[in-house]
Amino acid sequence: MKTLKKSGLSKEEMIQAYYEVKRGRRLDERLWQLTRIGKTSFNISGQGAEVAQVAMAMAFEHDKDIFLPYYRDMTACLVWGMTSKDIILGSFGKDADPSSHGRQMPNHYGSKEHNIVSFASTVSTQMPLATGVAYAAQLEGKDYIALTTTGEGSANQGEVQEAMNFAGVKKLPVIFVVENNNYAISVPIEEQYANENMSDRAHGYGFEGITVDGNDFTEVYLTFKKAVKDARSGKGPKLIELKVYRLTSHSADDDQTIYRSKEDIEKMKESDPIDVFEKQLIDEGYLTQADMDKMDEEIRAEIDKATDEAEAMPDSAPESLLDEVYAK
Amino acid sequence: MAEMTYLEAINLGISEEMARDEKVVIFGEDVGGDKGGVFGVTKGLAAKYGDNRCFNTPLTEGLIGGLAVGLGVMGYRAIGEFQFADYILPATNQILSEARTMRYRTKGDWTAPIVYRTPYGGGVRGGLYHSQSTEKIFAGQPGLRVVTPSNPYDAKGMIKAAIRSDDPVIFYEHKRLYRLLKAEVPTDDYIVPIDKANVVREGSDITVISYGMMLQYAISAAEKLAKEGIDAEVVDVRSLYPLDRETLVNAAKKTGKILLVTEDNKEGSIMSEIAAMISEDALFDLDAPIKRLAGPDAPSMGYSLTLEREFLVNEDQVIEAMIELAEY
Ligand SMILES: Cc1ncc(C[n+]2csc(CCOP(=O)(O)OP(=O)(O)O)c2C)c(N)n1
């Protein structure tokens, strides 16, 4: 594993990275809690992928690059600019929810304000969109990039191959990401694809594919940094596979103990990437345990406040069901 | 006879057919192993019939669509599961371009004896992408059969008939009915035809035609109104395409007052076609304009409870519409 120093990030940036990682975890824990006490009815988490998502997202310019995420990317969306309150509004399905104004299920992040494009539940349909976003950049001679993510199961959809093919042909400024957490609901990777790494597929489309350990903050950050530089300078797309863990069941409607062994789940939980990251931060002198505890308290307070505020917001008016079916 | 749910009845029907005919195979996302599908419809089938006959596919609906056709032309009876009716869309090309036309374009030399199973319908806080009624997309496509049972007895009998059918059948299962309904179901071999509507209740004042969850409301409403002197005939469409014209038109002629109830959007739904048939064949038997009670013409229900309720037809609305029609 690479040292954090090697990332080239300043101390402040590294502390910010830790804040985002921890906020992602605590916010997701809150979303589960709200589901369990019956205040919300669904959650699907990125627990296990926070370190990778923060390292990925920090390599971009959030006020100009366009993010087309999938449902596990809450933490990356926070880095892009969404707030804890934005996320919780979506969980409650409130009208003020910037993602879909209570129309889509929770965890379908989006924000016009923050360059995060709305996505459908139909997996991977955002991938061809990302090529459209990138083609627009090319047409206009602008240097913004499209980042789009999906899971390793979802990466098998036909539309993903169509998107990557076109991106390769046109050398588009788009970065395709597969967050490989070994399971698509209950289906393990052995039943999902037969090659060693998902990233091998990129070669077939004429661009580079890279597989990275999602626990390795620096490696992920530097990989994206380079991909961003290449894409911005007209060198075309990349496919980056992040090997991450899925620490929770697929969603609030799933129970992973049916299809994963106890030992498997235990073993994975013991190698929580946040623990690894914290140890690195302490060892390399970025933060002390006391600093982290203090930060954790601040994060919890932020989330409590966001929860109360979001809960107090009004539900959608029934008649708004027919708003925006068509342009006026 | 045994008391069982709609879901258990489908499971038993499939299991009996797999036992009877080793050419019956079933597959889809999460369908194999111990998970047995996200709703558990295929639970136990892999253990009973082996991982070759009940298996997981990658997350690839296009493949599920076409794999079934390939197996079908080789003499298998393939059952492909789509996890949600919304997610059939990536397979639409295979279903419409290949499965639907195989028999016709070869004048019967090749056939595609397939069942595509899928849960559909709303009322489960699924938002847009876990609630849609996609059946209208496949109606009006000669060569395909589109069916949906509305009770456990039909569920078992119709899935068996669908598996034995030499045509491609899309078998819609209302996900709210899965565990809501329990009834006595024979544990021996029987089939329920997949090309017949069913008069579930004889009546002389008005005729209510519906299917799926809405039909349950119609039956319950009819029982309540019977006590108030309104005698309703209730018909379950069951075969959504092709429609059982004779049964539907006769039931319409019988009372001359027709209420069509669907959970789908009002315009362009299965009910629109039924209304057209009745006006062609029974216009002069009508004593009132044909009335449709349906969802509004918004893309689908919202996740927010206020928006979901606003979209869905409820039993009170059915009762109100029935009274209005009876008094016309
Ligand atoms: C086209 C389509 N088919 C099925 C589903 C249902 N579904 C939602 S998530 C999921 C599994 C996705 O697994 P993977 O791509 O590995 O991502 P992960 O959830 O593991 O991050 C499935 C099958 C869907 N949303 N869209």
Side-chain angles (χ1 to χ4, degrees):
Chain A
M1 192 161 300
K2 284 208 162 70
T3 62
L4 298 178
K5 288 252 159 12
K6 280 229 165 79
S7 69
L9 288 169
S10 69
K11 185 167 182 187
E12 287 68 44
E13 287 170 321
M14 199 53 88
I15 292 171
Q16 182 66 22
Y18 178 65
Y19 163 78
E20 296 290 8
V21 163
K22 197 70 184 192
R23 180 163 67 141
R25 177 63 58 91
R26 290 289 180 236
L27 185 52
D28 188 67
E29 286 169 356
R30 170 56 49 89
L31 301 182
W32 279 104
Q33 196 184 18
L34 291 171
T35 307
R36 275 193 297 265
I37 60 177
K39 286 201 174 186
T40 61
S41 69
F42 185 76
N43 190 42
I44 188 162
S45 1
Q47 284 196 34
E50 297 97 335
V51 169
Q53 285 184 20
V54 171
M56 165 180 82
M58 280 180 72
F60 291 82
E61 293 184 41
H62 310 121
D63 53 356
K64 82 175 173 194
D65 293 333
I66 311 290
F67 188 23
L68 298 101
Y70 87 125
Y71 50 79
R72 292 204 196 278
D73 279 328
M74 181 187 80
T75 304
C77 289
L78 291 171
V79 177
W80 228 271
M82 289 185 79
T83 65
S84 304
K85 186 177 164 186
D86 289 342
I87 303 291
I88 300 173
L89 282 166
S91 247
F92 280 119
K94 298 286 188 176
D95 198 53
D97 153 38
S99 297
S100 79
H101 304 276
R103 285 174 174 182
Q104 291 214 68
M105 287 174 83
N107 316 93
H108 287 71
Y109 313 109
S111 168
K112 183 90 200 272
E113 183 191 350
H114 296 107
N115 291 339
I116 302 170
V117 178
S118 161
F119 63 96
S121 306
T122 322
V123 297
S124 295
T125 48
Q126 70 275 21
M127 297 254 140
L129 267 63
T131 63
V133 167
Y135 192 57
Q138 206 176 60
L139 283 175
E140 292 166 10
K142 299 234 169 97
D143 72 343
Y144 63 83
I145 298 171
L147 167 69
T148 186
T149 54
T150 198
E152 81 287 352
S154 309
N156 296 311
Q157 291 284 324
E159 278 143 315
V160 179
Q161 327 315 323
E162 297 180 30
M164 292 206 283
N165 183 56
F166 183 71
V169 168
K170 296 282 182 192
K171 279 189 172 273
L172 296 177
V174 50
I175 299 171
F176 299 102
V177 176
V178 175
E179 295 184 24
N180 189 343
N181 60 21
N182 290 320
Y183 285 91
I185 311 186
S186 73
V187 183
I189 48 174
E190 303 79 50
E191 296 180 45
Q192 202 67 249
Y193 60 93
N195 45 346
E196 172 72 26
N197 289 314
M198 270 255 147
S199 62
D200 293 346
R201 293 182 182 182
H203 308 308
Y205 298 112
F207 51 87
E208 192 185 8
I210 310 157
T211 295
V212 194
D213 172 5
N215 287 354
D216 190 334
F217 179 91
T218 300
E219 188 67 40
V220 175
Y221 176 73
L222 292 177
T223 302
F224 277 93
K225 200 79 188 154
K226 170 146 195 321
V228 164
K229 192 165 162 249
D230 287 352
R232 236 189 267 294
S233 59
K235 290 197 187 130
K238 292 253 193 314
L239 168 59
I240 299 174
E241 175 183 21
L242 296 170
K243 296 255 188 193
V244 294
Y245 292 114
R246 192 187 84 193
L247 296 180
T248 61
S249 286
H250 170 75
S251 73
D253 293 334
D254 178 44
D255 174 9
Q256 63 179 349
T257 62
I258 298 172
Y259 53 85
R260 284 173 94 164
S261 71
K262 253 207 177 84
E263 302 78 59
D264 181 25
I265 296 171
E266 282 308 311
K267 213 174 112 212
M268 177 188 57
K269 290 204 165 148
E270 278 163 22
S271 37
D272 188 329
I274 296 192
D275 297 340
V276 177
F277 191 42
E278 286 183 345
K279 188 169 178 313
Q280 280 186 299
L281 287 160
I282 293 171
D283 289 352
E284 294 188 42
Y286 287 97
L287 287 163
T288 64
Q289 187 60 51
D291 296 335
M292 290 178 178
D293 293 345
K294 185 159 166 281
M295 217 159 161
D296 198 22
E297 256 173 55
E298 286 163 15
I299 289 168
R300 285 174 190 274
E302 173 194 327
I303 291 170
D304 284 344
K305 183 162 172 277
T307 309
D308 292 342
E309 286 176 9
E311 193 174 5
M313 296 296 281
D315 292 322
S316 301
E319 54 289 2
S320 70
L321 180 70
L322 287 163
D323 287 355
E324 304 293 339
V325 175
Y326 297 102
K328 290 208 180 69
Chain B
M1 297 279 259
E3 170 121 322
M4 65 183 81
T5 61
Y6 181 91
L7 185 150
E8 287 161 346
I10 296 168
N11 176 281
L12 180 62
I14 296 168
S15 182
E16 285 179 10
E17 290 306 298
M18 290 181 85
R20 194 181 64 84
D21 178 357
E22 62 176 31
K23 292 285 190 186
V24 178
V25 295
I26 185 160
F27 49 83
E29 294 151 16
D30 300 282
V31 160
D34 296 330
K35 174 103 182 162
V38 291
F39 291 99
V41 178
T42 57
K43 217 174 191 62
L45 297 179
K48 242 186 268 175
Y49 303 105
D51 295 332
N52 284 335
R53 292 182 61 201
C54 175
F55 59 95
N56 287 326
T57 60
L59 213 178
T60 46
E61 284 78 10
L63 171 95
I64 294 170
L67 182 69
V69 182
L71 284 163
V73 296
M74 296 315 288
Y76 281 83
R77 294 192 173 267
I79 311 172
E81 175 178 300
F82 296 109
Q83 208 156 75
F84 287 87
D86 317 65
Y87 305 138
I88 299 185
L89 298 180
T92 314
N93 191 28
Q94 287 293 325
I95 297 173
L96 296 187
S97 304
E98 290 287 355
R100 172 175 75 117
T101 51
M102 185 56 79
R103 172 178 291 274
Y104 189 72
R105 75 189 191 221
T106 62
K107 218 174 167 203
D109 292 343
W110 295 97
T111 64
I114 296 162
V115 184
Y116 296 118
R117 291 182 34 246
T118 193
Y120 77 112
V124 295
R125 300 294 306 278
L128 274 84
Y129 293 97
H130 298 82
S131 309
Q132 289 173 73
S133 297
T134 56
E135 63 271 20
K136 68 166 161 251
I137 294 170
F138 301 103
Q141 304 285 357
L144 270 187
R145 293 186 180 280
V146 184
V147 307
T148 187
S150 66
N151 62 64
Y153 179 88
D154 282 2
K156 182 184 161 192
M158 284 171 70
I159 191 71
K160 286 166 69 82
I163 294 168
R164 292 181 202 183
S165 163
D166 287 331
D167 297 312
V169 180
I170 308 193
F171 194 88
Y172 278 91
E173 302 164 9
H174 199 291
K175 63 174 98 68
R176 267 205 71 200
L177 295 180
Y178 271 150
R179 292 171 203 280
L180 187 77
L181 290 186
K182 257 190 165 207
E184 288 292 328
V185 171
T187 46
D188 51 5
D189 191 26
Y190 70 95
I191 60 156
V192 171
I194 50 170
D195 55 359
K196 288 272 173 289
N198 184 24
V199 179
V200 242
R201 187 183 192 281
E202 301 258 3
S204 52
D205 296 332
I206 58 172
T207 298
V208 186
I209 297 176
S210 188
Y211 59 91
M213 186 65 207
M214 297 298 123
L215 181 86
Q216 293 302 325
Y217 293 159
I219 295 171
S220 162
E223 292 309 325
K224 286 176 189 158
L225 290 178
K227 293 183 194 111
E228 293 175 27
I230 298 173
D231 187 24
E233 173 121 342
V234 181
V235 184
D236 184 356
V237 183
R238 290 199 302 202
S239 168
L240 307 181
Y241 191 80
L243 287 161
D244 174 6
R245 189 171 189 124
E246 196 188 340
T247 307
L248 296 170
V249 170
N250 284 344
K253 280 183 179 165
K254 186 168 165 192
T255 68
K257 288 180 171 184
I258 325 300
L259 173 65
L260 307 173
V261 190
T262 179
E263 184 179 321
D264 199 355
N265 309 118
K266 187 161 183 174
E267 292 186 6
S269 74
I270 304 286
M271 291 308 168
S272 311
E273 191 59 36
I274 295 177
M277 276 181 179
I278 293 171
S279 24
E280 273 177 347
D281 290 6
L283 188 66
F284 300 110
D285 298 296
L286 297 187
D287 298 318
I290 299 170
K291 192 174 172 63
R292 282 182 293 167
L293 180 61
D297 293 312
S300 186
M301 51 208 87
Y303 167 74
S304 141
L305 206 51
T306 51
L307 298 179
E308 187 181 75
R309 284 199 185 123
E310 181 68 9
F311 187 96
L312 278 168
V313 170
N314 61 41
E315 192 180 324
D316 288 343
Q317 290 169 319
V318 178
I319 291 177
E320 209 177 297
M322 286 168 73
I323 293 173
E324 220 175 87
L325 195 63
E327 286 170 354
Y328 187 91

